[in-house]
Amino acid sequence: MEDIAEKGLQVVVGLAVFAAIIGLIMLLVDRAPKSGREKIQIAGFLAPALVLLAVGLVFPALQTSYLSLTDRNGDFVGLDNFVWMFTQPEALVTLRNTVIWVVLVPLLASSIGLAYAVFIDRARGEKALKALVFMPMAISFVGAGVIWRFVYAYKGPEQDQIGLLNQILVWFGQEPKQFLLDAPENTLFLIAVMIWIQTGFAMVVLSAAIKGIPTEIVEAARLDGASAWQQFTNVTIPTIRGSLIVVVTTITIGTLKVFDIVRTMTAGQYETSVVANEMYTQAFRAGEPGRGAALALVLFLMVLPVVVYNARLLRKQKEIR
Amino acid sequence: MATTRSRKFLLPAAALSVSLLALAGCGSEGSDSAGGSGDADCAAYESYGTFEDAEVSVYSTIVDVEAELLENSWTDFSECTGIEVAYEGSKEFETQIGVRAQGGTAPDLAIFPQPGLLADQAPNLKPAPQAVSDLVDKNWSADWKKYGTVDGTFYAAPMLANVKGYVWYVPATFEEKGWEVPTTWDEMTALTEKIADEDEMKPWCAGFESGEATGWPGTDWVEDAVLREHGPEVYDQWVTHEIPFNDPKIVDSFDRVGEILKEDKNVNGGFGDVRSILSTPFAEAGQPVLDGQCAMHHQASFQAANWPEGTNVAEDGDVWAFMTPPIDASQGTAITGGGELIGAYDDRPEVQALQAYLASAEFANARVSQGGAISANKGLDPEVATSDLDRQSIELLQDPETVFRFDGSDLMPGAVGANSFWSGIVNWLNGSSTEEVTQTVEDSWPAS
């Protein structure tokens, strides 16, 4: 009880100090001399955010960069960690898997989502059909991992199967299969989970974009005698291009950082590890923070171009409007 | 560090304590010997001195029921000496102890579950006082003292212990089939072959699945084999990397285990082929032994808590265990296990008094008599143990002929002991050769 009261007091005092500082800044900015007041005001209002950004983002980023050049004892080792990453077979598997994930997930999730959105557009029971595909979005990655681990669960041929897929295999007279143990296809089985989750997101955004296509354009195309496929490739796709790119890049960023699914389903064993998972394993389990930091840095460099592209595209779209 | 792994033991250990407490409550003997409340006979505590307003903080990985039992075992001490013990248990101990030591809020005493963690903290610790050192010389073997010694300085007395390498079996089945409990490794493989040939059940059940720590039960197998096949010297060299991880001797021991585990005909009763070991959770893997689908299951003493409720663990009960036999019976018994070490961050007199008490035979008896724990303390009376298995484990630990070695993967650097050794076992059972696997683990050994 005492503990809670004490903590509560700390929170209140902290908030009060914060409010006092902000109030002080506002007061001072308001009282600034007339000449160059605007500059002072900008500086005054930006400063707190910049300070927090420096403390919370820039400094850790620099620290991580430095950490990636040190070994487990904190001694400077130059680029050794990066050499390790690009030479050790296990680390290379991690990079290979990440590439497979990044190629397959955005591609498949977006195309399946797009196809589904087009097919059910104005169909009967559209809402229910949409909800069906969107539902996995509501499940956390960890939850999805646990569910799918049961789907893939294995028992010997003479035992009762508890995994859905293996039971189906047995019904068709096949031997049950160790879905999560056989590299390299086990990576594909993990990717299926991510696609299962992300398709709903792609479908919802793209469906909204399709509904936003002006009816005049669609009618004009129809009057010109365009077939359904021609309408799709020449009207639908170009019109929703912006949304499509946002969907693909968003899923790409999410896929690059995928961690929970791999961690809950295989913990990166059986050659299924990806960069984010390996980063955690190296830093916190193997006690090699340098390697973890190096992996984090590589992950950051991989995500960066996608983020920049995404941001630039959004800005361009705004200019058009 | 092998943090996850030691946590894996907490749950079964806690469950064990609960079940034993329940047993004790059922009117068996020993329930009244639990140390604790009431009028304590203070004569036994005179040597520690008396203090006023003295408080000692203790920090460890032990939580829940286990923590209560632990606290019970020093109530008399507190009452008679006037030393208040502020106990705190945390599952985050392994990471938090470093943070707290650096941040200047270290506890007075910390109970380390692994020698490696103790060694990391040694620069912050106070060397153990002479009284504690003398007690440890008296009550423990030299092996145990070594685990509390870092670079020649003795820091930490051992506290509780656990024993690995038990092979669980159903005595009735063995009797019915005319199987003998093996006394050498060769007899064990011969028995394995015999059971496999009879084709009525699989000789072995195994399960190495343990979330991100998958593979660790396999490291126990290999450690048991190395210690029995090559003796404690080679074991020590292996663990400290004086010989490479893929030394031919170690490869040999891997293959010795592989003869049992990597054969479909020997495993995996009730679950499938060899690779099903990897997808079977370690806590469930023993079940088919009771169901008659397999004959034997290799697991530490805490397996006693993994059996379903109501299972009678006794020599003439539902299930019982023999120690993984030696390879050469004339070499005596060699066992692996784990334990806790008490390091001090402060050297105030009251801290040293509690430190000495925790190293004493009185403490060991007070704690063990409450069930769910054993110790290698020679002053411990095996008769106070609350189960036959605990009694047998204590006798094994106290036997001067027994060679004891701490769990090897807990002693290796985290990059190996809590990472590549585990994944090595996984790949090994998934089809990689011993040479490949040991080479990969060797490559992952930190250079410095």
Side-chain angles (χ1 to χ4, degrees):
Chain A
M1 241 7 246
E2 243 170 72
D3 217 30
I4 295 172
E6 201 176 298
K7 292 223 165 96
L9 191 70
Q10 279 175 359
V11 170
V12 171
V13 169
L15 287 174
V17 168
F18 177 75
I21 290 175
I22 297 296
L24 191 69
I25 290 174
M26 285 183 165
L27 196 73
L28 289 178
V29 166
D30 200 43
R31 295 264 173 95
K34 263 237 163 74
S35 59
R37 170 177 277 186
E38 201 173 321
K39 274 184 188 154
I40 293 177
Q41 276 178 345
I42 291 173
F45 284 120
L46 268 182
L50 285 179
V51 168
L52 288 178
L53 209 62
V55 172
L57 198 72
V58 179
F59 176 66
L62 291 176
Q63 206 182 22
T64 306
S65 311
Y66 175 72
L67 206 59
S68 70
L69 303 175
T70 61
D71 67 2
R72 59 201 293 267
N73 301 322
D75 298 328
F76 189 80
V77 291
L79 294 175
D80 274 10
N81 291 321
F82 293 93
V83 171
W84 165 82
M85 197 189 312
F86 293 104
T87 52
Q88 279 296 307
E90 316 94 90
L92 283 175
V93 166
T94 304
L95 294 175
R96 180 202 73 190
N97 286 344
T98 304
V99 171
I100 298 177
W101 276 81
V102 166
V103 171
L104 287 184
V105 175
L107 195 73
L108 288 174
S110 312
S111 15
I112 297 173
L114 176 62
Y116 195 80
V118 170
F119 283 131
I120 63 159
D121 196 35
R122 298 197 193 100
R124 209 185 306 150
E126 184 183 342
K127 276 182 186 152
L129 289 171
K130 265 187 181 170
L132 218 57
V133 174
F134 190 69
M135 246 178 327
M137 274 294 282
I139 300 170
S140 73
F141 282 14
V142 173
V146 172
I147 293 170
W148 279 82
R149 216 166 68 164
F150 280 116
V151 173
Y152 292 141
Y154 168 89
K155 283 275 153 101
E158 63 273 22
Q159 262 73 45
D160 289 337
Q161 296 300 324
I162 57 163
L164 177 69
L165 282 179
N166 273 322
Q167 182 62 62
I168 292 173
L169 281 181
V170 169
W171 276 333
F172 282 96
Q174 306 284 315
E175 289 269 301
K177 179 178 163 61
Q178 285 272 23
F179 284 101
L180 296 176
L181 260 54
D182 295 317
E185 65 263 38
N186 49 6
T187 294
L188 300 182
F189 294 128
L190 296 190
I191 286 176
V193 181
M194 183 83 165
I195 294 174
W196 179 70
I197 296 174
Q198 295 289 10
T199 299
F201 165 72
M203 185 267 299
V204 164
V205 174
L206 296 177
S207 173
I210 290 171
K211 296 218 182 300
I213 302 175
T215 38
E216 305 91 74
I217 305 181
V218 181
E219 270 166 26
R222 210 175 286 154
L223 284 176
D224 286 346
S227 68
W229 178 250
Q230 279 169 329
Q231 270 185 52
F232 177 69
T233 52
N234 294 330
V235 178
T236 312
I237 295 284
T239 330
I240 63 164
R241 191 170 161 266
S243 307
L244 206 53
I245 290 174
V246 168
V247 165
V248 171
T249 46
T250 310
I251 297 181
T252 306
I253 295 170
T255 309
L256 273 167
K257 297 187 293 184
V258 67
F259 169 79
D260 326 43
I261 293 177
V262 175
R263 192 111 206 125
T264 39
M265 292 184 70
T266 63
Q269 303 275 30
Y270 327 116
E271 297 184 25
T272 57
S273 196
V274 291
V275 170
N277 178 63
E278 200 58 24
M279 173 182 93
Y280 178 89
T281 305
Q282 290 295 336
F284 299 111
R285 211 176 76 188
E288 294 276 2
R291 288 178 181 177
L295 283 159
L297 214 59
V298 166
L299 189 65
F300 176 68
L301 291 177
M302 283 160 89
V303 175
L304 198 61
V306 189
V307 173
V308 169
Y309 179 71
N310 209 349
R312 282 183 55 177
L313 191 88
L314 282 176
R315 204 171 56 204
K316 223 191 250 167
Q317 279 184 332
K318 234 177 234 164
E319 277 164 13
I320 294 168
R321 273 180 221 146
Chain B
M1 288 299 132
T3 59
T4 342
R5 181 167 178 189
S6 60
R7 247 172 252 156
K8 297 286 171 223
F9 297 136
L10 283 179
L11 194 64
L16 178 66
S17 328
V18 178
S19 54
L20 287 173
L21 263 190
L23 274 180
C26 287
S28 65
E29 79 276 288
S31 54
D32 56 349
S33 63
S37 55
D39 306 313
D41 175 12
C42 282
Y45 301 98
E46 258 169 24
S47 59
Y48 299 108
T50 46
F51 299 83
E52 257 173 59
D53 289 335
E55 192 181 272
V56 178
S57 59
V58 178
Y59 188 44
S60 93
T61 50
I62 299 165
V63 292
D64 298 334
V65 184
E66 282 230 295
E68 268 172 47
L69 299 177
L70 185 62
E71 286 184 272
N72 283 344
S73 53
W74 58 56
T75 40
D76 285 355
F77 170 82
S78 274
E79 220 167 280
C80 296
T81 57
I83 299 174
E84 280 295 320
V85 181
Y87 177 78
E88 185 189 352
S90 164
K91 291 189 169 184
E92 310 297 322
F93 177 88
E94 287 94 336
T95 41
Q96 281 304 308
I97 188 67
V99 174
R100 289 180 58 165
Q102 270 183 13
T105 53
D108 295 327
L109 293 177
I111 304 173
F112 295 93
Q114 295 145 1
L117 201 56
L118 174 80
D120 287 346
Q121 283 298 310
N124 302 319
L125 294 173
K126 306 279 183 207
Q130 195 56 43
V132 172
S133 178
D134 292 344
L135 269 169
V136 172
D137 284 335
K138 186 177 139 217
N139 287 335
W140 274 273
S141 67
D143 294 337
W144 275 99
K145 192 172 187 189
K146 215 172 61 193
Y147 298 122
T149 306
V150 182
D151 293 333
T153 313
F154 176 67
Y155 288 98
M159 194 174 84
L160 303 173
N162 58 58
V163 173
K164 302 204 172 183
Y166 274 116
V167 176
W168 297 82
Y169 69 104
V170 175
T173 313
F174 267 55
E175 201 172 311
E176 188 187 311
K177 308 267 179 201
W179 300 333
E180 294 279 331
V181 169
T183 54
T184 65
W185 190 287
D186 285 341
E187 283 180 35
M188 188 166 79
T189 41
L191 177 64
T192 302
E193 218 165 283
K194 192 172 165 195
I195 298 174
D197 288 344
E198 286 174 15
D199 204 24
E200 196 172 322
M201 61 177 80
K202 290 281 173 77
W204 293 89
C205 285
F208 292 177
E209 202 277 329
S210 179
E212 60 167 30
T214 298
W216 69 258
T219 65
D220 288 1
W221 265 101
V222 174
E223 286 153 14
D224 277 340
V226 171
L227 181 61
R228 284 162 179 76
E229 185 172 359
H230 303 294
E233 286 78 28
V234 171
Y235 186 89
D236 292 344
Q237 290 167 355
W238 177 53
V239 164
T240 54
H241 208 220
E242 279 165 44
I243 59 170
F245 195 96
N246 56 344
D247 188 274
K249 296 193 193 92
I250 308 302
V251 171
D252 239 30
S253 298
F254 258 85
D255 286 338
R256 183 177 281 276
V257 175
E259 278 172 30
I260 293 175
L261 287 185
K262 287 185 84 172
E263 296 289 341
D264 276 336
K265 66 179 168 65
N266 293 340
V267 291
N268 187 13
F271 298 109
D273 56 5
V274 168
R275 297 198 308 161
S276 70
I277 293 175
L278 296 171
S279 48
T280 306
F282 75 94
E284 293 167 23
Q287 181 61 37
V289 173
L290 292 179
D291 301 342
Q293 289 178 291
C294 59
M296 294 176 279
H297 176 62
H298 178 272
Q299 189 56 279
S301 49
F302 70 74
Q303 172 67 21
N306 286 346
W307 301 113
E309 229 183 299
T311 307
N312 179 15
V313 179
E315 206 162 353
D316 52 359
D318 300 327
V319 67
W320 188 235
F322 60 85
M323 180 49 63
T324 305
I327 284 165
D328 179 358
S330 68
Q331 295 289 309
T333 330
I335 58 176
T336 56
E340 284 130 1
L341 302 155
I342 309 158
Y345 286 89
D346 203 307
D347 51 7
R348 301 195 309 275
E350 59 266 33
V351 177
Q352 299 199 336
L354 181 60
Q355 215 180 342
Y357 172 65
L358 293 175
S360 71
E362 289 77 34
F363 165 77
N365 282 304
R367 175 62 190 90
V368 171
S369 63
Q370 299 178 69
I374 56 170
S375 171
N377 194 315
K378 286 178 199 158
L380 172 64
D381 178 5
E383 292 310 311
V384 304
T386 53
S387 80
D388 290 346
L389 187 79
D390 283 356
R391 200 165 301 129
Q392 182 182 315
S393 303
I394 294 167
E395 278 163 3
L396 264 176
L397 284 171
Q398 287 179 339
D399 185 348
E401 297 295 305
T402 302
V403 174
F404 178 86
R405 280 297 177 273
F406 214 91
D407 179 86
S409 52
D410 277 353
L411 297 171
M412 294 175 184
V416 177
N419 193 36
S420 63
F421 197 176
W422 294 347
S423 50
I425 292 286
V426 167
N427 294 333
W428 185 60
L429 285 177
N430 206 13
S432 300
S433 74
T434 306
E435 283 73 18
E436 267 175 75
V437 166
T438 48
Q439 181 66 50
T440 312
V441 180
E442 168 62 20
D443 289 343
S444 75
W445 203 292
S448 50

